[in-house]
Amino acid sequence: MPLVKNGRITGDLFVHIAEGAELPGDGAILVPAARFLEDPEAVLKHAGKVGVIWPNNRDLDDLVPYLDRLAAVALVFPSFRDGRAYSQARLLRERHGYDGELRATGQVLRDQFVFMSRAGFDAFEVKKDADADAFAETMKRYSVFYQPTGDGRVTALNRRMQLRHSESAGQ
């Protein structure tokens, strides 16, 4: 399954750990939420980067105390019609200040890339190579947005205000 991160197809450093499987000695791992919450401190002692696969029907409050020690959070889209992970992403970025990798996994479709990115996702597990190839082109298509969101991009209004300020400062 291709991984698109920061607009490019890249190798996935993280190994997905199955429920009940033993943790490897080192290396980056992604563990299911239930496994993580059984003993978070033990998982976080792992000699490598730790990430959690967080379902969209689970409360983020259970995850928040550990965010500063997690290298990645993978939010699950079980269906293209289920958008709860969008809300989770915005909460993680905007309310809780999470600045690690925020990965979209599950039903990640190319027509939702821009929306996912705007919500704060910076990594995407896609099912098809063609979708991974299309990602960069999709993200180049839009350079200005009106609404502020979790991706930190300057909005059209802010850009306009910056231009006015620089013009008035130059006079």
Side-chain angles (χ1 to χ4, degrees):
M1 178 176 333
L3 179 70
V4 177
K5 185 170 180 179
N6 298 320
R8 290 189 294 267
I9 301 169
T10 184
D12 191 353
L13 299 175
F14 288 88
V15 174
H16 289 248
I17 305 299
E19 196 70 49
E22 195 168 321
L23 298 181
D26 60 4
I29 58 171
L30 272 173
V31 297
R35 169 79 181 272
F36 178 76
L37 292 173
E38 284 174 10
D39 192 355
E41 294 304 327
V43 175
L44 290 166
K45 287 180 184 173
H46 172 74
K49 293 181 178 183
V50 175
V52 177
I53 303 166
W54 202 259
N56 67 1
N57 62 355
R58 186 155 212 153
D59 192 344
L60 284 177
D61 289 341
D62 296 336
L63 185 62
V64 170
Y66 309 103
L67 287 177
D68 61 334
R69 297 187 282 165
L70 291 172
V73 175
L75 299 177
V76 180
F77 287 87
S79 161
F80 72 91
R81 293 174 295 195
D82 188 339
R84 291 177 284 180
Y86 286 107
S87 299
Q88 289 176 317
R90 291 208 50 191
L91 288 169
L92 287 170
R93 292 286 194 218
E94 296 172 28
R95 182 179 294 169
H96 302 294
Y98 182 67
D99 62 359
E101 179 180 303
L102 193 53
R103 182 181 291 204
T105 188
Q107 292 297 313
V108 178
L109 305 178
R110 77 168 61 186
D111 61 341
Q112 296 173 334
F113 285 159
V114 172
F115 302 115
M116 289 177 176
S117 178
R118 296 287 293 147
F121 290 98
D122 59 358
F124 308 85
E125 289 181 2
V126 295
K127 304 225 182 276
K128 300 176 188 172
D129 289 334
D131 286 346
D133 294 334
F135 181 84
E137 284 304 312
T138 301
M139 294 310 294
K140 285 183 209 171
R141 187 173 299 146
Y142 304 99
S143 61
V144 178
F145 296 95
Y146 290 100
Q147 298 84 11
T149 60
D151 68 354
R153 290 188 194 205
V154 175
T155 63
L157 175 64
N158 289 350
R159 188 168 290 169
R160 209 173 308 134
M161 304 253 316
Q162 288 171 347
L163 287 172
R164 283 186 187 155
H165 178 68
S166 64
E167 288 172 357
S168 66
Q171 292 178 353

